[in-house]
Amino acid sequence: MENFKIIVFLCNWGPHTAYHDLQDKEYGVPSEIKMVRIPCTGRISKALLFKAFEMGADGVALVGCKSGTCRYGSGTENAAMNTEDTKDILELLGLGNDRMRFSTFLPDETNSLKRFLEDFCSNVKKLGPSPIKPSREDRISAVPPKNMREIVKEHNVFACQDCGKCTSSCPLALSGKQYSPRAIAASIIAEEMDSDEVQKDVWSCLTCGTCYERCPSDVNFPSFIRDVRGCLSDNGYNECHQTHGGFFQSLMRAMTFSELKSQKWNNLPGDIKIDPKSKILFFGGCAPYFDVFFRNHRGIKTSNILMDSLRLLNFFDIQPAILNNERCCGHDLLWSGDRKSFLKLAKLTVESIHDLGIEEVITSCPECFKTISSDYEANGIKLNFKVTHMYEFLENEIDKAAVSFDGLDRHITYQDSCRLARHGKIKDFPRKLIRRLQPESFTEMMDSGNAALCCGNCAWTGCDSFSKALQSKRIRQAHSTGSDLLVTSCPKCQIHLRCAMEDPFLGKEFMMEMQDLTSIIAKTICWD
Amino acid sequence: MAEKRETIRQGVIITGFGGQGIVLAGRILGMAAALGDHKESTLVQSYGPESRGGACCAQVIISNNVIQYPYVAMPDVLVCMSHSAYEKYKDQLKPDGVLLTDKDLVRPDEKRDYFSIPATRMAEELGRKMMANIIMLGFTTAITSLVSVESAKEAVTSSVPKGTEEKNIIAFTKGYDYGLSKIKGREKKVIGRAGAIS
Ligand code: SF4
Ligand code: SF4
Ligand code: SF4
């Protein structure tokens, strides 16, 4: 007999009175139900709701006060929105939105609460146990931990000349933060593990690679930080440094369970043609999840990039295969220190690509590109296929095709993505493509290409007020080119920059329209 | 025996400024037909003041029978690499003839269908403006059935200066691929899929 685990977050006020009443009447609450008493449903974030699933819950209910009776005013509405988003994400993930429910009760609605609990319980049982089954061992690293000495040696940090070029080029330091890569390196070499440099600053680095471009000793600071994080994480997940309550790390860790069958590609628009037997695979990335998570805040629609990529492949007569149970490539887990879950994702992903006999993987996501094309092999996972970024594919196709572009009467500037420009060395393809579009004007920002400023966050780790300062600086740079359209290459650049633009203190003029390059090409390209 | 075959005879006029390599393009086309495809071909080239920058013209005839008269009065294929040359020859083109132009240098009248390629721009991108004629030749090979692609490539290799063969084949292939893509694009337009988003 399966032991079901159902978590009920129960608000202290209205429904708890009803629950208490049930207990007084000696009603036996189903044994599967683990009740967690909370002060207000509005404070149960998406991250907390999802965390329960990551930890193996088969169902989660959020039970609050009837609308209008919330002691704090907006709790019920917040809870309704959070549950809705989480449910949609559960659905995309393939866990099913029925595993989560939100309901509200007045203090005297004892019987309806009883019916609700019974009904939810029997429903979850019908759905069967959750495919996410973390075991205790999962929490303990199976990957042999590297110690700091080895990491320092591997990345040749001893070669640091203490010249300070890194600190003077680091966008975080330049935005006013008390932060110095050189000092981090020095503290780690001196094994001062309890210093602020190690405990805090390691988690602030954007791993953007600007300093690596400048370092005379060729210290690859981003990879160094990545491994240091991995090492620190072996003693726990370091969730306190994760943004949005660690929601995305939880989500991505949930994807490491092989029984999970993602529904991400359901409901593809009818005009898009897919061929399961194709030797070319399109790898989409996590944009659809981001869109749901941020929909109430930023009106982000980054999954359009995936659809437009598929349309462009179709335009050039390629009907690609897709992975029906596509998972996260693992980028964010790798860069936020969870190397073990990264490896799980990487193995599952590569296995399913190999199973399809794929020869070439095309992706439009800079992070998926960087991760699959270089980090998999660096972590000992062999690939039998090549990885191409969408821009390279497009430039090569357009170069030999009789196509033209509908006029783009916009003044544009371009945001390099760290993963594409500095890590992936893809700077020229997007620029060639932009010129082909023949916009009214194309003006580079003050810092561009190798020197481009980061969008302000990487791997959902360490976002703070200095990230905001950095983003504001970047957006000001974009404005001062005189452009009216900021062209982006990474879905996350759009998300993070949009977040900064919505700062109420900076006013409406701070807003700038953003569009993804792939989407612009898809909208304007036509046969000649 | 040969005389009994139905004669398939195609007249081609290639025209542009002097210095664009018009005559060379005509010669390669004729050579491809004669040496590669084993047909008959003739070339009449205009010399004189024209080859120093004015309108320049190569007349090529390709036929499966002996050619009695080498001048082309009404071409089946007209290749124009300058607007003035286009103005001069456009009315001679047969009503069902094929017009090929350099996209950036010729602005044809709306009333007739034509195939254009930015040959000069593409040659500039390849780093050699002089190769626009070879790109145009590749394009012509793809759009028309004048000569086979293998023969055309062989004729290019044997006609261009030593040491530039590879570059010229790249140029030829660029024009040829563009031509194939043009035909594909037309088919897509016919079925109403001109863009990526329908
Ligand atoms: S730039 Fe390189 S050598 Fe200079 S302080 Fe930074 S890590 Fe050390
Ligand atoms: S990787 Fe970027 S954020 Fe990190 S220390 Fe270097 S320049 Fe600063
Ligand atoms: S910039 Fe905004 S969206 Fe990005 S991590 Fe920070 S808070 Fe989240």
Side-chain angles (χ1 to χ4, degrees), chain A residues 3 27 76 145 189 261 377 411 462 492:
Chain A
N3 259 339
Y27 160 68
T76 312
I189 290 176
K261 298 276 174 280
E377 297 222 319
H411 297 274
K492 286 192 189 159

Side-chain angles (χ1 to χ4, degrees), chain A residues 159-166 182 215-217 219:
Chain A
C160 169
Q161 312 167 24
D162 218 12
C163 70
K165 283 207 165 69
C166 48
R182 181 177 61 112
C215 175
S217 294
V219 175

Side-chain angles (χ1 to χ4, degrees), chain A residues 243-244 294 298 455-457 460 463-464 467-468 471 495-497 499-500:
Chain A
T243 61
H244 303 287
F294 290 108
R298 331 247 174 264
C455 68
N457 188 269
W460 311 107
C463 185
D464 65 12
S467 323
K468 287 282 155 289
Q471 293 166 327
I495 295 170
H496 301 310
L497 289 174
C499 173

Side-chain angles (χ1 to χ4, degrees), chain A residues 262-292:
Chain A
S262 139
Q263 306 291 311
K264 188 168 85 181
W265 290 117
N266 283 7
N267 309 321
L268 272 186
D271 63 313
I272 292 175
K273 301 276 176 291
I274 295 300
D275 175 7
K277 289 196 286 297
S278 173
K279 295 289 162 225
I280 299 178
L281 178 106
F282 178 71
F283 194 89
C286 292
Y289 297 101
F290 304 152
D291 287 0
V292 176

Side-chain angles (χ1 to χ4, degrees), chain A residues 335-398:
Chain A
W335 291 88
S336 57
D338 188 354
R339 184 156 163 258
K340 179 164 167 276
S341 303
F342 161 74
L343 282 173
K344 279 194 191 169
L345 285 176
K347 283 187 189 135
L348 285 169
T349 299
V350 170
E351 259 167 38
S352 34
I353 297 178
H354 284 170
D355 283 350
L356 292 179
I358 295 300
E359 288 161 9
E360 181 177 13
V361 169
I362 300 182
T363 178
S364 52
C365 173
E367 296 185 335
C368 299
F369 172 70
K370 143 106 183 128
T371 307
I372 303 177
S373 68
S374 64
D375 294 330
Y376 281 9
E377 297 222 319
N379 281 281
I381 299 170
K382 287 263 160 302
L383 312 180
N384 294 339
F385 51 86
K386 70 169 193 166
V387 188
T388 309
H389 188 268
M390 195 66 194
Y391 294 164
E392 181 175 355
F393 166 82
L394 285 175
E395 175 55 31
N396 290 342
E397 286 297 321
I398 294 174

